[in-house]
Amino acid sequence: MNTFQRKLAMEELHRLEPEEFKKAEKNSVIILLDNVRSLHNVGSAFRTADAFRIEKILLCGITGTPPNREIHKTALGATESVSWEHHQNSSEAAEALKKDGWKLIVLEQTSGSIHLQKFIPEKKGKYCFVFGNEVSGVENDLIKISDTIVEIPQFGTKHSLNISVSIGIVLWDYFIKTAT
């Protein structure tokens, strides 16, 4: 039998303040959003990035940038804690990361993609996870230069998940596999 438990008050969660977050050690993960249309998806990416204390988000191409009221609705202040950069060209941003030792992991359904559960990250590796446009997916140029292409297995009638859901699944999977 489940005994009653009370919800924790905000101060009991011991969350970092935005300035503490900025100074705190980050996990070696970057999210690259490639031409993401929905500002709500962008805001959600910020909120998830904050939850997992990742390095930064790269907002590329047509992807919206803070400050923006629609991004703020779902980010709930995470645009103040998570570092971000805007790049006009996704491929150029990705190439620069690769030159700096980051592994480019594209989330896409391709003939050579592997299922997420088979992706085994190195515990001390530096990973950039790439998520694409809600309709057309990740640009082919990014797919060509990726180190690994991963897909989340699905079993229904739809061929994709919402980007915000995919980001949460991928980051959770990554941190479960690299914890301790």
Side-chain angles (χ1 to χ4, degrees):
M1 175 180 271
N2 189 12
T3 59
F4 175 75
Q5 297 184 29
R6 69 176 177 79
K7 288 173 46 175
L8 295 176
M10 292 299 275
E11 55 275 0
E12 291 177 287
L13 296 175
H14 306 290
R15 298 291 192 240
L16 298 175
E17 294 295 324
E19 288 308 312
E20 294 172 305
F21 183 96
K22 288 178 183 178
K23 294 176 185 173
E25 184 177 345
K26 305 295 183 296
N27 291 299
S28 295
V29 172
I30 291 175
I31 293 172
L32 188 153
L33 299 181
D34 176 36
N35 292 305
V36 172
R37 297 177 313 162
S38 167
L39 298 175
H40 294 284
N41 283 335
V42 174
S44 181
F46 271 94
R47 193 164 168 189
T48 304
D50 178 279
F52 290 103
R53 202 187 299 174
I54 72 162
E55 190 81 23
K56 66 182 164 185
I57 297 178
L58 300 184
L59 307 168
C60 299
I62 66 166
T63 306
T65 62
N68 182 294
R69 188 173 62 90
E70 293 301 309
I71 292 172
H72 181 72
K73 279 183 186 179
T74 47
L76 293 178
T79 57
E80 303 303 316
S81 55
V82 177
S83 295
W84 63 273
E85 299 172 3
H86 180 264
H87 295 268
Q88 198 56 46
N89 186 293
S90 300
S91 296
E92 289 175 8
E95 288 281 10
L97 287 173
K98 286 179 64 86
K99 286 179 184 170
D100 197 29
W102 291 84
K103 291 192 185 332
L104 196 65
I105 312 302
V106 167
L107 272 289
E108 189 59 83
Q109 297 164 337
T110 69
S111 58
S113 59
I114 63 169
H115 285 184
L116 181 61
Q117 66 269 27
K118 292 182 179 178
F119 171 65
I120 308 299
E122 299 169 12
K123 289 188 185 276
K124 298 293 182 184
K126 296 180 351 179
Y127 292 93
C128 174
F129 293 101
V130 179
F131 300 87
N133 179 275
E134 293 88 343
V135 175
S136 59
V138 176
E139 288 181 10
N140 283 328
D141 290 347
L142 286 169
I143 291 170
K144 288 177 186 173
I145 64 170
S146 67
D147 293 292
T148 304
I149 303 169
V150 172
E151 70 175 277
I152 301 168
Q154 298 163 57
F155 309 100
T157 62
K158 299 300 173 193
H159 68 278
S160 66
L161 294 166
N162 182 281
I163 291 167
S164 63
V165 172
S166 295
I167 291 171
I169 291 169
V170 167
L171 290 183
W172 176 253
D173 180 78
Y174 170 82
F175 286 104
I176 288 296
K177 291 174 179 173
T178 59
T180 62

